[in-house]
Amino acid sequence: MIRVDGISGKVALVTGAAGGIGGAIVATLQEQGARVVAADLQEPGVDCTLPLAMDVADEMAVDAGFGTVEQELGPVQILVLNAGIFVIEEFESTTLESWRRTIDINLTGSFLCARRAMPGMREAGWGRVVAIGSSAGKTGGSKSMAAYAASKAGVMALAKSIAGEYASAGITANALAPSLIDTPMLSGIADLASRIPVGRLGTPQDVADVVTFLASDHAGYITGEVVDVNGGFFVD
């Protein structure tokens, strides 16, 4: 493992920590010495400093969750916005309820968590926000994922907006645009590996490594960026 600077001892909160990508991010930040809060809708069973049950789409739950972290560990210094759902529905069959649920979890949840973290980061004069978007947010995705694509486009724009507003406070905000990552959420995509220029599917560790770099001091001059993690499958 390559050690990076600026993560050891920091309080890092990862949402969606029970999933494949979230679990890899938690483990990697832990290996770098961070005090990691693993948050999910139900308390995730992953090795971390503090497991946390938190509904990111519920403003009161987010406030209470961050309050618990602040009381036990201190303010969140590294925030990884990973919580999300992936829904495939034909556009005309997408109900308003389904649309709102996707937006609420993927986009509004990211907004609520980031907004709650900003005061502590601003007061400390240092912070890292890394949002997990998707290449679907750039391209619209394949057919039948309008709500998901729209929510991820919003997540990536949110990171850029935070970057512009908080750069002078020592806070960076960046996003990732992964595609074709081999996780249970995207089961059944192994047949696409031959279409990826690097010749394989992405792994949760591929995503976690980029998150860790962006959370470190090595990326202190990088903010407002969307980093593709897709093996060359989509190049813009």
Side-chain angles (χ1 to χ4, degrees), residues 146-234:
Y148 177 77
S151 70
K152 289 301 186 178
V155 166
M156 295 186 292
L158 175 65
K160 290 185 176 185
S161 182
I162 293 170
E165 187 167 349
Y166 288 92
S168 62
I171 300 167
T172 68
N174 294 285
L176 274 60
S179 184
L180 300 179
I181 306 300
D182 192 6
T183 67
M185 183 182 287
L186 293 180
S187 60
I189 63 172
D191 59 326
L192 294 175
S194 62
R195 297 172 54 189
I196 303 172
V198 301
R200 65 172 178 86
L201 295 174
T203 68
Q205 192 62 52
D206 289 323
V207 179
D209 288 342
V210 180
V211 169
T212 301
F213 170 72
L214 291 174
S216 74
D217 284 346
H218 302 287
Y221 201 57
I222 300 173
T223 195
E225 289 299 313
V226 176
V227 181
D228 290 315
V229 185
N230 60 30
F233 184 72
F234 166 70

Side-chain angles (χ1 to χ4, degrees), residues 22-93:
I25 294 170
V26 168
T28 305
L29 291 175
Q30 284 258 118
E31 290 172 358
Q32 295 292 341
R35 295 179 290 159
V36 182
V37 180
D40 213 301
L41 190 58
Q42 295 182 337
E43 190 174 292
V46 297
D47 182 26
C48 64
T49 304
L50 177 65
L52 182 68
M54 184 176 73
D55 181 355
V56 298
D58 183 323
E59 183 177 12
M60 292 181 65
V62 169
D63 187 52
F66 273 75
T68 297
V69 175
E70 290 163 352
Q71 183 176 7
E72 297 199 19
L73 301 176
V76 172
Q77 298 160 293
I78 298 169
L79 176 63
V80 183
L81 302 168
N82 175 65
I85 58 172
F86 178 67
V87 180
I88 297 179
E89 292 174 316
E90 292 183 357
F91 185 66
E92 292 182 40
S93 299

